[in-house]
């Protein structure tokens, strides 16, 4: 099944996205096989885009690191089966020494080969999408990407309505996530 998902993603990457009005016939739609992507955590977290928000310094990053580790290792999380996959964690407010210390405290010496970390990324609309697509091309088994924190990948534009900007930002990420 993973191979089918990866093939679908590869097809999307190679597809010409310049057509702003993609149309398919009902016959074409019926003739196309779509593969249901397995959840990340059975009965708890499904493949989609989410925003995990809360007050500062309440443990959001620790929770996301826990999720990332469990997905990258395929370990049950809170009694729920986990589908293993590669993970990319964008720790944009951290540095590698601090992350090493934090991860070692959380997981001791049991490292995961499928847990990737970056402390810098481009902004949405300024190259982040290409960075993520390239990562997934290199790691087609990727099933989870966490951006900590979204504020650091938002390209703010002057004179734009906050609602419109939030909507556009959310849409850009959701369009990308739907293809992973």
């Amino acid at each position: 099944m993973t191979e089918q998902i990866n093939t679908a993603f590869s097809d999307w990457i190679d597809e010409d996205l310049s057509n702003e009005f993609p149309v398919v016939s009902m016959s074409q739609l019926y003739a196309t096989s779509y593969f249901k992507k397995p959840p990340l955590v059975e009965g708890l977290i499904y493949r989609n885009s989410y925003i995990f928000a809360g007050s500062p310094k309440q443990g959001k990053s620790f929770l996301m690191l826990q999720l990332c580790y469990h997905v990258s290792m395929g370990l049950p999380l809170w009694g729920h089966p986990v589908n293993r996959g590669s993970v990319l964690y964008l720790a944009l407010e951290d540095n590698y020494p601090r992350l090493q210390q934090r991860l070692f405290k959380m997981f001791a010496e049991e490292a995961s080969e499928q847990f990737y970390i970056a402390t810098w990324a481009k902004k949405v609309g300024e190259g982040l999408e290409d960075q993520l697509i390239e990562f997934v091309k290199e790691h087609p088994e990727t099933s989870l990407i966490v951006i900590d924190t979204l504020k650091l990948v938002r390209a703010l534009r002057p004179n734009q309505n906050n609602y419109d900007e939030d909507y556009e930002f959310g849409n850009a990420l959701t369009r990308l996530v739907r293809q992973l």
Side-chain angles (χ1 to χ4, degrees):
M1 180 157 191
T2 303
E3 186 176 300
Q4 294 167 332
I5 292 170
N6 293 340
T7 300
F9 183 74
S10 297
D11 292 345
W12 175 77
I13 297 233
D14 297 332
E15 186 178 315
D16 179 10
L17 299 177
S18 62
N19 183 359
E20 294 183 23
F21 191 57
V23 177
V24 296
S25 71
M26 187 176 178
S27 297
Q28 289 171 310
L29 187 60
Y30 278 14
T32 304
S33 296
Y34 293 99
F35 305 100
K36 184 176 181 183
K37 296 176 184 178
L40 295 173
V41 181
E42 299 282 344
L44 191 62
I45 301 173
Y46 296 86
R47 294 170 189 258
N48 207 332
S49 59
Y50 300 93
I51 295 179
F52 186 66
S55 300
K57 305 299 176 199
Q58 298 300 309
K60 296 179 301 297
S61 294
F62 282 95
L63 182 59
M64 291 299 103
L65 285 169
Q66 189 79 40
L67 173 63
C68 290
Y69 183 77
H70 280 257
V71 170
S72 72
M73 297 288 282
L75 298 172
L77 180 66
W78 307 314
H80 295 269
V82 171
N83 288 301
R84 185 176 187 184
S86 289
V87 172
L88 174 60
Y89 183 79
L90 302 182
L92 304 177
E93 293 183 321
D94 266 313
N95 58 48
Y96 291 120
R98 183 175 174 207
L99 285 163
Q100 181 187 56
Q101 193 173 49
R102 182 178 283 180
L103 290 168
F104 190 79
K105 282 182 183 178
M106 293 175 74
F107 309 111
E109 295 179 18
E110 194 171 347
S112 171
E113 289 294 321
Q114 289 189 271
F115 189 164
Y116 299 91
I117 301 166
T119 58
W120 178 86
K122 294 180 180 179
K123 294 184 182 296
V124 170
E126 297 175 4
L128 176 65
E129 299 89 340
D130 293 334
Q131 287 179 312
L132 296 179
I133 287 170
E134 191 58 37
F135 178 84
V136 172
K137 278 183 178 178
E138 292 173 17
H139 307 277
E141 67 287 350
T142 299
S143 60
L144 177 63
I145 298 172
V146 173
I147 302 172
D148 185 5
T149 69
L150 287 178
K151 180 178 182 177
L152 296 175
V153 295
R154 286 184 68 171
L156 299 177
R157 291 172 282 178
N159 303 322
Q160 180 156 1
N161 176 304
N162 286 342
Y163 174 80
D164 290 341
E165 188 170 318
D166 289 346
Y167 187 84
E168 287 177 25
F169 178 75
N171 266 347
L173 290 178
T174 299
R175 279 191 307 275
L176 183 60
V177 167
R178 285 182 182 151
Q179 304 307 319
L180 298 178

